[in-house]
Amino acid sequence: MLKHLYIKNFTLIDQLDIEFRPGFSVITGETGAGKSIILGAIGLLLGNRADSKLIKQGEKKCTIEAHFDLSNYGFEAFFEAHDIDFEPEDTIIRRELTATGKSRAFINDTPVSLQMMRTLGEQLIDIHSQHQNLLLQKDDFQLNVVDIIAQDSTELAAYQTAFQCYKNAEKQLSELKEQIARAQENEEFMRFQFGELDSAGLTEGRQEELEQESETLSHAEDIKTSFYEADSLLNEDDNGILSRLGRSLESLGNIENVYPKAQELVQRLSSVHIELKDIAEEISGESGLIDFDPSRLDSINQQLDQLNALEQKFHVSTERELIGIRDEMEKQLKNIEHSDEELETLEQEVKKRLDECEKLAGKLTTSRRKAIKTVEAQMSSRLVPLGIPNVRFKVELTAKPLSTDGADKVQFLFSANTSTRMESVAQVASGGEIARVMLSLKAMVSGAVKLPTIIFDEIDTGVSGKIAQKMALIMQEMGNNNRQVISITHLPQIAALGSSHYKVEKEETPEGTRSRMRELTEEQRVAEIAQMLSGADISDAALQNARDLLGLGRK
């Protein structure tokens, strides 16, 4: 329930700070006084789009804040799920706009996203404006009314989960069919390309090895000559390095007994001699391994040419990438070979999911058919006292292809007279009749949904007199059922039945036009309702009529 509303620097409002009461309240005021401005401010708390132009001219920031009492509405789970402190008796929602275009949202002083504010706001307040009467033209609105009365949210959620699984499986099947079709179109060419890659004997690292071997064979003569010269220099009989080094060791060995330092030099030189002998043997061995083989070189170059040609053809730069392409082609070709099996498996999955959806949709249909009887009975009983004694109201349920809300199409049929056939309510009902139908629907639905606050913005359009009074009694009844109902009205018959009465006024000041709202006292209510009855010149008869209307409201 809305307890308190604070608005600062919002369009024509300097500052509004007002308490709201439980039950049925009314808001009156001249056209253009600012009632729609207040609704616009509340709409921002429900997550509506913000515009910096809404800030009062000359100000840098506007603030809209509302306090709610949520003690009896079961909101604990929402606050716990979003890790927000829950103060059931004083839940605060705030929206701030700046002239620079920034918008911030808060729930109990915790910054939240606009989407989260919208999610909570939709559960706190329902604003019924005149344009919402157009909802009667929409199938999903009518179906939603039936679902609310059917209280089938659990069944609907189960169906929607199954439907999503069905659509996902159907999408996978469609994608597989497209993939198979494309693959089959390219199968022959793909097999040819795969043959080229497969025959190339691709092995990771082989290209580098071939390039190295090609380089070696291309310079075989130079390599062999270099190894031969090095071998000769090391191993020549008398003048080779090893021979001379051996003689150096022998010479120093002759003096190591008489010259101790020579012992260390002999050891070091001996180590060098051993290492050099190993190197000389390796050089000699390598020299024997190098042999120029023109046929081998040709074979290697042919393989490298083939690899380079394939890399060019497939627009890659490494053998590893060619291997990846080959493996992917092999996988696709295997998929083509086994596509019938995979296709059959997915088709069975789609059928299974479809069967499950149809079964759950059938349960929804059964639940809705039962609820339809309740809707028809309640709507007829509510519309008769509202001045449509011969009303006929029927809910037509027809089959439709499976969709996100089931397999049912709902249409509200209406006739105000016994002599005319029933047609879609949006097509045959007058403006006043549509207002009464929507009020009856809201009253019926409010009994099934725990919505703390409902605001009716001139739902009385097209009605007057006794019918307006009947509509007020319905709103009064709704307000007495642990619910807060606020009606913005121009009709004195409705204004008189409110337990609380607020007036919106516009005044001209040296600083410009300002809009303000105040709660009326008992005497002020008499004057306001009398003015609504007779206009600017309030007569004694109008005052007495106003008192009579207020007395009826108290009864």
Side-chain angles (χ1 to χ4, degrees), residues 268-287:
R268 291 171 61 193
L269 200 57
S270 178
S271 296
V272 172
H273 185 253
I274 292 169
E275 178 66 19
L276 203 55
K277 278 179 70 175
D278 286 343
I279 294 171
E281 288 175 3
E282 196 168 336
I283 289 173
S284 180
E286 287 292 328
S287 177

Side-chain angles (χ1 to χ4, degrees), residues 365-385:
T365 301
T366 301
S367 176
R368 287 164 175 168
R369 286 194 188 282
K370 291 179 182 177
I372 281 171
K373 295 177 182 178
T374 303
V375 173
E376 291 173 342
Q378 283 205 33
M379 288 300 291
S380 295
S381 66
R382 289 179 184 278
L383 287 168
V384 168

Side-chain angles (χ1 to χ4, degrees), residues 166-370:
Y166 163 62
K167 297 306 288 185
N168 289 341
E170 199 175 46
K171 182 181 177 184
Q172 288 177 2
L173 179 61
S174 176
E175 288 174 350
L176 179 62
K177 286 179 176 178
E178 289 178 10
Q179 183 183 331
I180 290 171
R182 287 195 304 269
Q184 287 175 341
E185 285 176 7
N186 299 323
E187 182 180 3
E188 188 175 342
F189 181 58
M190 194 188 303
R191 288 195 182 280
F192 170 75
Q193 288 188 317
F194 175 74
E196 279 188 308
L197 292 168
D198 195 44
S199 64
L202 301 173
T203 307
E204 193 167 339
R206 187 173 67 100
Q207 187 172 16
E208 289 84 352
E209 292 174 4
L210 289 173
E211 287 172 346
Q212 183 58 57
E213 190 175 357
S214 173
E215 188 74 12
T216 299
L217 289 173
S218 298
H219 298 85
E221 200 62 40
D222 294 336
I223 295 168
K224 194 171 184 69
T225 299
S226 295
F227 272 121
Y228 178 77
E229 288 179 357
D231 185 39
S232 297
L233 288 169
L234 288 167
N235 292 310
E236 194 175 356
D237 290 342
D238 292 328
N239 292 320
I241 294 172
L242 285 172
S243 179
R244 291 182 178 185
L245 191 56
R247 291 199 295 273
S248 297
L249 273 169
E250 189 178 338
S251 178
L252 287 172
N254 291 333
I255 63 169
E256 62 179 338
N257 290 329
V258 294
Y259 191 71
K261 190 174 182 180
Q263 291 179 358
E264 182 188 346
L265 293 172
V266 167
Q267 288 175 355
R268 291 171 61 193
L269 200 57
S270 178
S271 296
V272 172
H273 185 253
I274 292 169
E275 178 66 19
L276 203 55
K277 278 179 70 175
D278 286 343
I279 294 171
E281 288 175 3
E282 196 168 336
I283 289 173
S284 180
E286 287 292 328
S287 177
L289 292 174
I290 302 300
D291 192 16
F292 178 64
D293 184 350
S295 61
R296 174 61 182 162
L297 182 59
D298 287 342
S299 173
I300 289 170
N301 287 336
Q302 284 175 10
Q303 292 178 65
L304 288 171
D305 289 343
Q306 183 185 22
L307 286 171
N308 289 328
L310 288 172
E311 287 168 357
Q312 250 185 340
K313 180 175 182 176
F314 289 97
H315 307 290
V316 296
S317 57
T318 65
E319 189 179 21
R320 173 183 288 183
E321 291 171 294
L322 286 177
I323 292 170
I325 293 170
R326 179 200 65 190
D327 292 347
E328 179 60 28
M329 283 185 178
E330 185 176 22
K331 180 182 175 183
Q332 289 183 31
L333 289 169
K334 284 182 179 178
N335 286 342
I336 293 173
E337 291 170 4
H338 298 91
S339 59
D340 290 344
E341 298 172 14
E342 190 175 356
L343 198 61
E344 185 180 355
T345 300
L346 258 182
E347 285 173 343
Q348 290 176 352
E349 177 69 11
V350 169
K351 185 179 183 306
K352 175 186 171 185
R353 296 293 184 183
L354 177 58
D355 290 344
E356 186 178 358
C357 277
E358 290 174 341
K359 181 179 177 182
L360 292 171
K363 288 183 178 180
L364 274 177
T365 301
T366 301
S367 176
R368 287 164 175 168
R369 286 194 188 282
K370 291 179 182 177

Side-chain angles (χ1 to χ4, degrees), residues 97-121:
L97 309 180
T98 66
T100 59
K102 290 183 179 179
S103 169
R104 297 196 301 168
F106 302 86
I107 299 175
N108 286 341
D109 288 327
T110 300
V112 297
S113 66
L114 202 57
Q115 179 58 46
M116 190 184 298
M117 173 174 268
R118 188 177 296 118
T119 300
L120 179 60

